[in-house]
Amino acid sequence: MNCKNKIIGAALFLSSLTACTDGDSFTIRVSDGCPDDVTASTIVYLDCYEVGGVATKDSAKVNSMGTLVLKGKKSESPAFYRLRAANRSYPFVMEPNLSNLNVRIDDSVSYRVSNSEVNVKLAEYLSFEKSINDSIKAEVARFSADAQHRDSLDARVLSLVASYKDSVRHMVYANTSSPVSYYALFRKLAYGITPFNPMDKKDLRLYSAVATAWHANYKDTPREKQLYKFVTNARSEMKLDDYEQFFSNAATANFPDLSFADAKGKVRSLYDLRGKYILLDFCVYSQMSPSDYLLFKNVYDRFKPKGLEIYQVSYDPDYEYWKKAVADLPWVCVSDINGLSVRTYNVTSLPYNYLIDKKGDIVAKNIALDMLGTWIK
């Protein structure tokens, strides 16, 4: 199968959301498993999906031993690359913490990245994507000669696309900060089918969850900025301004409820805290420092006698890490690993908070903790 067209089909979109930036160099060591069309003297190119398009970063000829070395520059965030040889493409992810990758090209389709867990996950995703595409093509071939079964063909293809979306949605929510989650949201299936649409509210929640995770982990990088702009534009085109204005006001009544499980598995509702001052805080615990914990503890101890409760929502993808981090905290800590609250409360950055008074009015947004005394009497 020729992978080139399939990769380039997504590259036009990915190129606006990915970037390679200057930094320390990395090395790609490529070994040739003797595919028919990649032989000695074949030139292998290293391409990067940059903000402005696809750029070739290095190239080298396969030597008589079937090996070569390519070099590139590290990014501040995970970057998408491909090896390109003999009209074939082999995509992979380069993470900021890696300096070396070993890639073995087995044949015109198969390749292995041996020292990168993210690329193992990428290979698993691409294998699943290929199985869906093969099934779609098989259905088209089955009914192409019989126009009377057009409705049946449409239904079968839609069923396959729905199955694909369910699997990808589960993968994304399981790890919103993964480069593979990011990659999958912008892929196209066979015959140019675009499974995810940011103009669909359910799909937009996925994009928003990934945008939030990348903001927490790779703030101010080109990809994070472009992804945030992409989500913001989608919301604007869907005319969600009124919804967002709801949370831009200084005081708003009837705050939306949230219900998530705490570290012990007990579902905790935000509404259960009505009648108290509520500091609704959205965060990623793995990004918090010991001084952050101490500040929250001091605020909680100081204002709890005056009726303050804290409802803290975590987006940490590592659930076990989060459970240990909150084990001894005295306020309400819940996990929203799927990012469902991002849309509900228009969380556009992290950390993010609202202060709700005893009447249920949102009286402040993104308030500094040392300013709580201004509102809590």
Side-chain angles (χ1 to χ4, degrees), residues 1-279:
M1 181 185 69
N2 189 329
C3 301
K4 183 178 181 180
N5 291 335
K6 186 172 69 174
I7 300 299
I8 291 179
L12 295 177
F13 208 114
L14 281 168
S15 64
S16 68
L17 302 177
T18 59
C20 303
T21 59
D22 290 338
D24 296 335
S25 63
F26 63 80
T27 301
I28 308 295
R29 289 181 170 82
V30 183
S31 59
D32 174 12
C34 297
D36 294 339
D37 49 3
V38 180
T39 59
S41 298
T42 296
I43 299 178
V44 178
Y45 299 90
L46 175 65
D47 296 336
C48 176
Y49 297 112
E50 295 188 329
V51 170
V54 181
T56 299
K57 296 300 180 180
D58 198 8
S59 63
K61 286 185 179 181
V62 178
N63 62 29
S64 59
M65 300 298 292
T67 61
L68 58 89
V69 175
L70 298 167
K71 293 185 179 294
K73 294 290 185 180
K74 285 187 178 181
S75 296
E76 297 175 322
S77 61
F80 291 97
Y81 284 86
R82 70 181 178 193
L83 295 176
R84 178 167 50 89
N87 295 321
R88 310 292 185 183
S89 291
Y90 307 91
F92 67 93
V93 178
M94 193 68 208
E95 296 179 276
N97 62 326
L98 291 180
S99 297
N100 297 282
L101 281 183
N102 299 318
V103 181
R104 177 180 172 85
I105 299 175
D106 292 322
D107 54 43
S108 61
V109 177
S110 302
Y111 63 104
R112 290 173 287 172
V113 182
S114 61
N115 57 328
S116 169
E117 182 178 350
V118 166
N119 282 290
V120 171
K121 295 296 183 182
L122 178 62
E124 291 174 355
Y125 162 75
L126 288 172
S127 177
F128 168 67
E129 180 192 83
K130 180 180 182 300
S131 69
I132 292 293
N133 281 332
D134 288 346
S135 296
I136 292 174
K137 292 175 183 178
E139 292 296 340
V140 171
R142 179 181 178 186
F143 291 104
S144 61
D146 189 350
Q148 293 181 351
H149 291 87
R150 176 73 187 189
D151 291 342
S152 177
L153 169 61
D154 289 346
R156 288 173 180 270
V157 170
L158 288 174
S159 176
L160 287 168
V161 173
S163 176
Y164 168 85
K165 291 185 66 173
D166 285 344
S167 295
V168 171
R169 187 174 289 111
H170 177 78
M171 177 189 74
V172 170
Y173 279 141
N175 190 352
T176 54
S177 62
S178 169
V180 184
S181 296
Y182 174 91
Y183 183 83
L185 288 181
F186 297 100
R187 296 291 289 168
K188 288 186 177 182
L189 297 177
Y191 304 104
I193 296 172
T194 303
F196 291 100
N197 178 10
M199 304 308 291
D200 180 284
K201 290 184 178 181
K202 190 174 182 180
D203 290 351
L204 183 57
R205 293 192 189 101
L206 272 181
Y207 289 106
S208 298
V210 171
T212 299
W214 283 78
H215 179 84
N217 290 284
Y218 308 109
K219 186 177 180 180
D220 294 331
T221 59
R223 179 181 295 109
E224 183 269 338
K225 291 178 181 178
Q226 291 288 338
L227 185 54
Y228 174 75
K229 182 178 179 181
F230 172 78
V231 170
T232 302
N233 288 344
R235 288 175 174 172
S236 177
E237 289 182 26
M238 291 173 68
K239 303 190 183 304
L240 299 177
D241 295 340
D242 292 341
Y243 189 97
E244 295 180 359
Q245 185 64 34
F246 180 87
F247 294 105
S248 66
N249 295 332
T252 305
N254 301 319
F255 60 94
D257 189 23
L258 296 175
S259 292
F260 298 106
D262 62 17
K264 296 181 179 179
K266 181 181 178 181
V267 175
R268 308 294 295 271
S269 170
L270 183 62
Y271 274 3
D272 289 343
L273 304 180
R274 284 179 294 186
K276 301 178 180 291
Y277 289 106
I278 306 170
L279 178 62

Side-chain angles (χ1 to χ4, degrees), residues 255-258 269-281 306-312 332 345 353-364 367 372 376:
F255 60 94
D257 189 23
L258 296 175
S269 170
L270 183 62
Y271 274 3
D272 289 343
L273 304 180
R274 284 179 294 186
K276 301 178 180 291
Y277 289 106
I278 306 170
L279 178 62
L280 175 58
D281 184 72
K306 296 185 178 182
L308 175 70
E309 292 293 342
I310 300 176
Y311 190 95
Q312 199 162 43
V332 178
Y345 273 90
N353 68 49
Y354 294 97
L355 180 64
I356 303 168
D357 70 8
K358 291 183 177 181
K359 296 184 294 183
D361 294 337
I362 297 176
V363 294
I367 185 172
L372 282 176
I376 300 176

Side-chain angles (χ1 to χ4, degrees), residues 311-361:
Y311 190 95
Q312 199 162 43
V313 182
S314 160
Y315 297 123
D316 285 82
D318 189 336
Y319 183 74
E320 293 303 319
Y321 173 89
W322 170 78
K323 284 179 62 176
K324 294 178 181 178
V326 305
D328 298 321
L329 299 182
W331 54 85
V332 178
C333 302
V334 297
S335 173
D336 180 14
I337 197 170
N338 293 333
L340 300 179
S341 60
V342 169
R343 179 67 185 89
T344 305
Y345 273 90
N346 190 32
V347 179
T348 57
S349 62
L350 290 175
Y352 206 85
N353 68 49
Y354 294 97
L355 180 64
I356 303 168
D357 70 8
K358 291 183 177 181
K359 296 184 294 183
D361 294 337

